Amino acid sequence: MEMHQHSIKDLFNQLGLGSTDWEIKDFIAKHSGLVVGTPIHEAFFWTDSQSQFLKQAIDEDADWAELVDQLDAMLRY
């Protein structure tokens, strides 16, 4: 499997979200506090396609998985 080095900005782009530093910080501020035990892909604020992408990235341990884990941690605070 070929591994790519993506950034959190790349992940936000992949999800169709704004990816400037300010847009990322704003998204995290608006959506932080994800309940412990709730998988990231089940959070209420994702579209169906975003949720599917996040679940697939984790399930398949894709090259996005590390960044999805990072985003998950950011949303738990």
Side-chain angles (χ1 to χ4, degrees):
M1 174 169 60
E2 184 177 331
M3 298 297 286
H4 300 279
Q5 289 197 4
H6 298 291
S7 69
I8 196 75
K9 289 182 179 196
D10 295 331
L11 178 59
F12 272 70
N13 280 327
Q14 183 70 22
L15 292 167
L17 301 170
S19 60
T20 66
D21 289 342
W22 184 87
E23 290 169 317
I24 292 170
K25 287 178 186 176
D26 186 55
F27 180 89
I28 299 301
K30 287 181 179 175
H31 298 98
S32 65
L34 189 59
V35 177
V36 172
T38 301
I40 187 171
H41 70 276
E42 291 182 8
F44 71 92
F45 45 81
W46 301 122
T47 65
D48 287 342
S49 62
Q50 290 169 329
S51 177
Q52 289 172 2
F53 172 80
L54 294 167
K55 183 172 182 354
Q56 183 177 6
I58 295 299
D59 287 350
E60 296 178 2
D61 198 22
D63 55 336
W64 292 103
E66 187 174 326
L67 285 167
V68 173
D69 287 342
Q70 181 181 344
L71 177 59
D72 185 290
M74 294 165 74
L75 291 170
R76 301 283 171 186
Y77 293 104

